[in-house]
Every structure is written in structure tokens, then in C-alpha cells.
Amino acid sequence: WLKLSFFHLLPLLFWAPASEAMAAAIIGFKHGKLLGLQEAELARQRAASLRALEARERAKREKEMIKVVLAKYDKMGNKGLDRNELKPMLCDYSVESFGRVETVTEEDLDFLIALVERHGGNRDGVVQGSEIIAVCETWFAWLERASKIDAFICRFDENKNGQLEKEELHAFLLDLNKGKPFPSEILEYVMDQADFTKTGFLSRMEVARAVAIWYMWSGHDATGKAAERSRLTGYIDKAKLQGLPVKKADQGCCTVS
């Protein structure tokens, strides 16, 4: 139906009778450049119209999704989801999206709520409106890489508290870098930006964020996902990232053994 909606934006094609072929060719030659510019402008307009339509359709789908989610999980009737309501919603979402049961920890909820409330939230711990969509998108990004992140934590969590502290993060990043040293500023930056809840250690979703940040600096994502484009990297200080030492070719290729 999208093609039908945009059919009227397509440039009309005309053909001339055979007796006028030479004249048409001359006119086409003279006006070729102009036609090229016109076609480019039409293509730009079509692309802009398509983006606008996609945005409207996305907004419509999101509105319907929010309505359905609230109808099922908003037990308090306050048009939002608190921690106790978010947890079953995310559990169900895990099963429906990936066909597996995923435990939702308190640290997961801390991270998700803090992330979505950073933009326009009233910091009351209740997720509302478009924040519900943001939570689902972030959780989806986490589920895509959860098994690898859990394996990383299991391997580098020396004190077995289920989190990575700064020293453990350093060992992890060093392993990503094939044992080759990297600037100390990178460790400081990754720790600061990944520790979104400012607890002094990284929960599992923050470890996923740390990998994404490492990718943004090194150019290699250990989870095999385009993490820098996911919700996991929201509110990263990219200006500070630009000021960090540039990764050199002899500083490793960043793989996990």
C-alpha cells in the first residue's frame, strides 16, 4: 500500500511518436541537466514524504501499543508503570520477542527507569507514554546481547557479586584489546559513561553499555551487534569521546577469546 500511496509523486513518463524522435532527442539533450536536477528534487521529496509517513505510522503504532500495555499491566490505573508493573511486562516481552524466559533484576529496573527518565521524566519512578516504548526498545537491545554479556560478567567478575567494578572492567577491556595496553583515559571514560546509575560498579545492562562505548572508541563490538545505535548508548558524552586519544593500529584488534 505504500507504493500506491506514493504513486502520485512519481515523475510522469512521456514518449513521442516515431516521426518526432529526432526532435525529442535534441530537446532531451538540451534539457538533460535540468531534468536530472528535477528528478533529484523529486527523489528528495519522495524520500522526505516517505519518512514523514513512516513517522506517522510509527506514532500510530506506538500509541496503540502503549494503550494495550497499560490495559494489561497498569494495575494502579495511573496511566503509567511502576517497578512492580514493569517487571511482568518485560518478562512477557522477553518470551514473546525471543521465546525465552528472562529474569528482570532490580538493577535492570534501576537502569531502565533512570535512562528513560533522563529525558523529560519527572523522576517519580513511573514510566509513562513514550517512555514505555523506550523501555521496550532498550530491553530488546539488551536481550539481543544478554547471553554474551552474562558470559563476560561470569568470566571477569572476580568477587562474584554479579557486577563489574573498575578493576574488573579494566581486565575485561584489556582482554577485548588482546592483552595490549590502552590509554588510562579510556578506562575512566568507559566507567564513567557506563555507570549510568552512579553506583560505582556496573550492573549487567551497564556492562552492555560499556561494550557499546568501547566499540565507539575502538571500532569493534564484542557482542556482534550495532550497539552504538541502540538505546543502550543514550546520553553518552560524545564530545568528550572525541577528545580521547585515538586508537592506534598496534593497540590490538579488540576480540574476546
Side-chain angles (χ1 to χ4, degrees), residues 10 44 57 84 113 127 138 159 167 185 198 210 236 253:
L10 296 175
R44 186 195 66 78
E57 288 299 317
N84 295 327
I113 292 172
V127 177
T138 307
N159 58 13
E167 296 77 11
E185 299 98 313
K198 300 307 175 188
I236 286 176
C253 63

Side-chain angles (χ1 to χ4, degrees), residues 141-169:
W142 156 252
L143 291 173
E144 286 186 307
R145 46 188 60 77
S147 60
K148 286 191 175 182
I149 296 299
D150 285 340
F152 294 158
I153 294 175
C154 183
R155 181 178 172 188
F156 294 97
D157 178 21
E158 292 292 334
N159 58 13
K160 304 303 177 185
N161 64 353
Q163 300 151 342
L164 291 189
E165 297 173 7
K166 189 174 182 179
E167 296 77 11
E168 296 166 336
L169 175 65

Side-chain angles (χ1 to χ4, degrees), residues 89-104 139 143:
M89 187 270 284
L90 294 174
C91 288
D92 290 348
Y93 185 63
S94 302
V95 174
E96 292 179 11
S97 298
F98 286 82
R100 71 173 189 255
V101 176
E102 182 74 20
T103 300
V104 182
W139 187 247
L143 291 173

Side-chain angles (χ1 to χ4, degrees), residues 7-47:
F7 183 78
H8 68 282
L9 295 176
L10 296 175
L12 296 177
L13 301 177
F14 297 92
W15 57 276
S19 61
E20 300 176 357
M22 184 177 296
I26 294 173
I27 293 173
F29 177 79
K30 290 182 177 180
H31 295 284
K33 185 175 182 180
L34 177 60
L35 289 173
L37 292 174
Q38 291 174 338
E39 290 174 358
E41 176 61 18
L42 283 171
R44 186 195 66 78
Q45 292 177 3
R46 288 197 298 272

Side-chain angles (χ1 to χ4, degrees), residues 8 14 58 68 74 101 117 119 148 159 173 197 204 256:
H8 68 282
F14 297 92
R58 176 182 171 85
V68 171
D74 179 20
V101 176
E117 286 195 336
H119 178 69
K148 286 191 175 182
N159 58 13
L173 297 182
T197 55
R204 61 180 191 164
V256 177

